[in-house]
Amino acid sequence: MTHRIFSLFFWLSVSLGIKAQSDTIAGKTHRIDEVTVSAKRVSKNVVSSKPVQVADRQELEKLGLVNLAEAVKKFAGTSVKDYGGIGGMKTVSVRNLGAHHTAVDYDGITVSNTQAGQIDIGRFPIDNVQSISLAMGEQEDLTQSARHLASAGVLSIVTEKPDLNSKNIPFSLQTGWKGGSFGYVEPHLRMWYQPGNRTLAGIQASWMRADGIYPFTLVNGQLVTKEKRINSDIHSWHYEANLFHTFKDNSELQAKAHHSYSERGLPGAVIFYNSDSDERLWDEDFFAQLMYKKRLNRWWQMAARGKFAHSWTRYEDKDVKYEDGLLRDVDRQDEYYLSITSSWQPSHHFSVALAEDVFWNQLRTTVDEGALPTRFTTLTALSMRYATARFLLNANMVGTYAKESVKAGQAPPDKHRLSPSLSASFRLLNDQSLYLRASWKNTFRVPTFNDLYYRRMGTRKLLPEKAVSYNIGFTWNCRPTGILRYASMTLDGYFNFVDDKIVAFPSTYIWKMVNYGKVHIKGLDATLAAEVSLPRKMSITLLSAYSLQKAIEKTDPKKSTYNSLLPYTPIFYGNASVILNNPWVNVGYSVDYSGKRYSSSMNTEAYKLEPYQEHSITLSRQFKFKHSALKLQASVKNFTNEQYDIIKYYPMPGRTWNISGTFIL
């Protein structure tokens, strides 16, 4: 049934486009009333030589998405690991290469975690997000950092920057409140001030709490019982300050300071009715970053980025198996980061850029036998681009060098490697936005501090994990005509090869991190976006993302797991959304679907996770006054009360509701 829903959305938009283009008026003279024509320009996901997907603020609001993880799930080719509940960790992986290969960019600068190597995107509020985009590879910006070019995928988060000049006001205030199931409450406040035409400053703060106690259905053979998820509470604070300034030479400076703190319960796995858990986690993150961009002359431009980041975590577990009945680990990370990019465009068609990133990371921990490592890393990236009216070619070369020192034991060997990539797109028809694109990219990730040093699991001789990605696809953007305001479609096939994959491998008594594994990942991603005009100032927006994927283990033909699906990798998954825009109440409906998958490389019935569907509906309305506005929204997630796990033994919530109100002055 779900396959038919996705197919219906695709063919409905195609047929509407064909019908709109066939309508003609001939043989008569007609007088039409004056109208205002508006249309979306050709989006980045169509003209880019690499797959890029974008979601703007309006789409996020009308679908009632309450966190970034829900938004990222709408992108084709993404996998979001969600351990359930409002406070559960949420990490994103691009085309099954792993969260370690995906860079998370926050307003132009990469967020890092050298200890674990993956970013919890659930820690960032969604209220101030202007847009999010996901690039399978790097973005097209020549002044991007070397860190972006070194990643297999880049998730970019762009926060709000209001245009007070157009409103002719020096001050803006926004306050709001969210509430929902399981004790969820989240008030927020944002203020913007513009002392002059060239300067804009803003501050924002939010607080969130939830008890996280939600019911779920536990199935054990033929026995079905109703249980409650416990120790899933959370409270958190977020603060952020921003400063934007444009100098007289039109160079731009952006400064940001961000601080977040949270305390949460870790509910643990539900196994044989044992859902007890006394694990708790405290975490605190602070970073301050600067970005400066300047066009030196007609041919040269440059960008400089700097950042300091500090994070602190405390983990506690109460259990009689520990001495004194308590295990406590405290970790502190620091990073100093500097990036400089210079681009040169000697002609209209050709440009070249050189980026240099330098960063220094340190980990301090109370874990016994802690190595207290320090890592110094440089990334050097050379980029070249050739572009004509119909052809685009990008070539990149990234050189990585990483050196470590430790306070205890022997330091691992230095890491260094060259990683090339190439991408191209060609406009097939001169008068139509129909493109053929292809890309090839090499990436690798240096082992994390946890991979190398964590307790007795770490292995200091680990090799970097290498990945090669191939992509070929078509993109199409329809001209606005008739009732069709816009329509775009993308179709991409890809193949990824991973070597020296870092996994936890069991030995005699303990688990060890080893370079064990070759992985082949092949798949197909398709996306659709369309908007159709209706009478009485109404319209329908259709959005859909569809992924077919087969990620298999190819290490040893003699092993029983050879050619088995990787854990938590469904062959089919996707989503579809319909938004009814009207002057009264906007209605958004979406469905997310995932096929069967396995929690282990042993693809047997014992490890099978059943397919699931999650249906959601959102109602929203904005009231405009003379100098202010009020936005109201109500949504019901998973209104069919589907019971499912994304991670085995970590049940997701069933039916939930959320309401919100935002006042803008």
Side-chain angles (χ1 to χ4, degrees):
M1 178 63 183
T2 305
H3 296 71
R4 295 177 181 175
I5 293 175
F6 289 109
S7 299
L8 176 61
F9 287 152
F10 268 86
W11 288 111
L12 177 60
S13 294
V14 173
S15 62
L16 285 170
I18 295 172
K19 182 181 184 299
Q21 295 180 47
S22 63
D23 289 342
T24 59
I25 302 177
K28 294 183 180 180
T29 301
H30 297 263
R31 182 185 182 280
I32 60 174
D33 295 331
E34 180 180 305
V35 296
T36 300
V37 179
S38 62
K40 286 194 174 184
R41 64 181 179 181
V42 180
S43 56
K44 291 190 294 184
N45 65 327
V46 173
V47 300
S48 173
S49 60
K50 295 165 289 293
V52 177
Q53 301 171 74
V54 183
D56 60 26
R57 184 180 186 87
Q58 289 186 344
E59 293 174 3
L60 301 179
E61 289 181 345
K62 291 178 180 179
L63 291 177
L65 306 178
V66 297
N67 58 60
L68 280 176
E70 291 183 356
V72 174
K73 288 177 184 178
K74 302 299 181 184
F75 292 147
T78 60
S79 174
V80 177
K81 284 191 175 181
D82 191 332
Y83 290 82
I86 296 174
M89 176 175 282
K90 298 165 179 63
T91 61
V92 59
S93 171
V94 172
R95 291 179 172 177
N96 250 295
L97 290 172
H100 305 82
H101 287 271
T102 305
V104 177
D105 172 273
Y106 193 66
D107 278 338
I109 299 181
T110 306
V111 183
S112 66
N113 186 327
T114 308
Q115 180 182 8
Q118 51 189 357
I119 304 301
D120 179 10
I121 59 176
R123 65 184 250 203
F124 296 106
I126 199 172
D127 297 302
N128 67 328
V129 172
Q130 186 65 38
S131 68
I132 59 173
S133 63
L134 181 69
M136 308 296 184
E138 68 281 349
Q139 297 184 353
E140 300 288 350
D141 182 12
L142 272 177
T143 61
Q144 65 188 303
S145 67
R147 259 185 170 173
H148 287 184
L149 293 164
S151 302
V154 180
L155 175 66
S156 296
I157 305 166
V158 179
T159 59
E160 182 186 26
K161 182 184 176 183
D163 184 8
L164 300 185
N165 277 332
S166 63
K167 300 178 182 179
N168 198 27
I169 56 174
F171 179 83
S172 175
L173 173 67
Q174 178 174 317
T175 182
W177 177 89
K178 292 181 180 180
S181 302
F182 322 127
Y184 168 57
V185 176
E186 185 176 7
H188 70 270
L189 174 70
R190 285 205 302 278
M191 293 185 293
W192 291 94
Y193 175 63
Q194 187 166 4
N197 291 334
R198 296 182 177 274
T199 305
L200 177 66
I203 59 172
Q204 64 183 51
S206 64
W207 173 76
M208 189 264 283
R209 64 87 57 197
D211 56 47
I213 301 176
Y214 58 86
F216 66 95
T217 301
L218 180 64
V219 179
N220 184 11
Q222 295 183 347
L223 184 62
V224 179
T225 60
K226 300 292 184 181
E227 307 289 336
K228 282 192 174 182
R229 197 73 162 126
I230 60 174
N231 197 41
S232 190
D233 62 295
I234 182 175
H235 77 266
S236 64
W237 291 89
H238 294 272
Y239 310 94
E240 189 169 293
N242 289 277
L243 175 67
F244 302 91
H245 183 74
T246 302
F247 296 92
K248 292 183 179 180
D249 60 357
N250 289 325
S251 60
E252 297 178 347
L253 175 68
Q254 176 181 329
K256 180 187 292 288
H258 177 97
H259 177 261
S260 62
Y261 171 84
S262 71
E263 177 189 352
R264 70 189 74 189
L266 303 179
V270 177
I271 305 175
F272 298 117
Y273 303 99
N274 180 19
S275 60
D276 293 337
S277 177
D278 291 310
E279 298 175 279
R280 297 199 70 79
L281 179 68
W282 293 258
D283 57 74
E284 184 175 19
D285 292 278
F286 169 81
F287 64 80
Q289 64 186 41
L290 289 169
M291 183 167 63
Y292 176 74
K293 290 186 175 183
K294 178 179 176 61
R295 178 168 288 278
L296 303 174
N297 53 44
R298 179 180 175 183
W299 305 279
W300 289 93
Q301 61 178 328
M302 60 85 66
R305 299 170 174 86
K307 181 177 183 178
F308 167 73
H310 172 77
S311 64
W312 168 88
T313 60
R314 186 178 83 195
Y315 166 82
E316 289 186 359
D317 184 19
K318 296 179 181 179
D319 199 297
V320 294
K321 64 183 178 182
Y322 304 122
E323 185 178 355
D324 300 328
L326 177 67
L327 172 68
R328 176 184 290 127
D329 292 341
V330 179
D331 299 315
R332 292 179 175 87
Q333 292 186 73
D334 292 302
E335 177 177 279
Y336 296 89
Y337 170 72
L338 179 64
S339 171
I340 298 178
T341 304
S342 178
S343 67
W344 177 50
Q345 188 174 3
S347 71
H348 182 68
H349 299 298
F350 179 74
S351 54
V352 61
L354 181 66
E356 182 70 25
D357 287 17
V358 178
F359 42 102
W360 179 87
N361 300 88
Q362 182 184 53
L363 173 66
R364 291 165 289 167
T365 179
T366 59
V367 176
D368 293 339
E369 304 175 1
L372 304 181
T374 299
R375 176 180 294 172
F376 175 77
T377 308
T378 65
L379 295 172
T380 305
L382 177 64
S383 304
M384 291 177 286
R385 174 183 298 174
Y386 179 78
T388 66
R390 296 180 62 179
F391 180 69
L392 174 64
L393 176 68
N394 287 293
N396 307 307
M397 177 67 76
V398 180
T400 304
Y401 174 75
K403 182 179 179 62
E404 291 185 28
S405 60
V406 294
K407 294 291 182 66
Q410 183 178 0
D414 297 349
K415 312 290 192 305
H416 50 84
R417 186 176 177 86
L418 292 175
S419 304
S421 64
L422 186 69
S423 64
S425 69
F426 179 69
R427 189 169 184 169
L428 297 176
L429 301 175
N430 191 43
D431 60 343
Q432 293 288 333
S433 295
L434 177 64
Y435 293 82
L436 170 67
R437 64 185 177 193
S439 61
W440 163 72
K441 187 175 181 68
N442 282 265
T443 56
F444 86 122
R445 75 166 183 96
V446 176
T448 67
F449 284 160
N450 281 352
D451 293 335
L452 296 168
Y453 310 109
Y454 187 70
R455 296 189 183 274
R456 291 184 293 171
M457 288 181 62
T459 304
R460 302 192 184 194
K461 294 184 179 181
L462 283 175
L463 298 173
E465 189 175 287
K466 308 169 189 67
V468 182
S469 303
Y470 303 87
N471 186 93
I472 186 168
F474 290 91
T475 67
W476 172 73
N477 190 90
C478 175
R479 294 177 178 176
T481 177
I483 64 171
L484 189 64
R485 292 186 179 178
Y486 74 88
S488 66
M489 296 178 65
T490 68
L491 181 66
D492 289 276
Y494 62 89
F495 176 76
N496 300 331
F497 173 77
V498 183
D499 197 9
D500 289 327
K501 188 170 181 64
I502 299 173
V503 297
F505 188 76
S507 60
T508 307
Y509 298 105
I510 58 175
W511 289 66
K512 285 284 188 182
M513 303 304 297
V514 297
N515 289 115
Y516 178 86
K518 298 180 186 296
V519 175
H520 289 181
I521 306 165
K522 57 184 178 181
L524 184 72
D525 289 342
T527 67
L528 164 70
E531 186 170 354
V532 181
S533 296
L534 297 177
R536 298 188 178 183
K537 299 181 180 180
M538 296 191 298
S539 66
I540 292 180
T541 302
L542 304 174
L543 305 167
S544 184
Y546 179 102
S547 294
L548 283 171
Q549 184 183 91
K550 194 169 185 181
I552 56 177
E553 197 271 335
K554 301 289 287 187
T555 304
D556 187 351
K558 298 179 182 179
K559 297 289 186 179
S560 60
T561 57
Y562 187 75
N563 279 338
S564 295
L565 293 175
L566 293 185
Y568 302 109
T569 58
I571 292 178
F572 166 77
Y573 59 97
N575 61 82
S577 304
V578 181
I579 302 172
L580 175 60
N581 308 286
N582 62 79
W584 308 285
V585 177
N586 294 317
V587 181
Y589 163 79
S590 65
V591 55
D592 296 294
Y593 174 82
S594 176
K596 70 176 181 180
R597 59 251 185 261
Y598 299 90
S599 62
S600 168
S601 295
M602 299 291 293
N603 295 172
T604 62
E605 195 68 23
Y607 299 101
K608 178 182 174 183
L609 291 171
E610 295 294 335
Y612 70 86
Q613 298 180 34
E614 184 177 276
H615 301 261
S616 303
I617 191 166
T618 299
L619 306 177
S620 60
R621 171 73 188 270
Q622 177 171 315
F623 299 89
K624 291 186 178 181
F625 308 103
K626 186 175 181 180
H627 299 294
S628 60
L630 176 64
K631 295 180 180 179
L632 299 178
Q633 186 180 89
S635 61
V636 180
K637 305 291 183 183
N638 193 9
F639 60 76
T640 60
N641 203 30
E642 180 96 359
Q643 300 292 302
Y644 67 96
D645 296 359
I646 294 179
I647 304 297
K648 192 174 179 64
Y649 304 126
Y650 287 82
M652 297 293 291
R655 185 185 301 109
T656 62
W657 59 269
N658 289 284
I659 58 173
S660 67
T662 303
F663 179 74
I664 304 171
L665 180 62

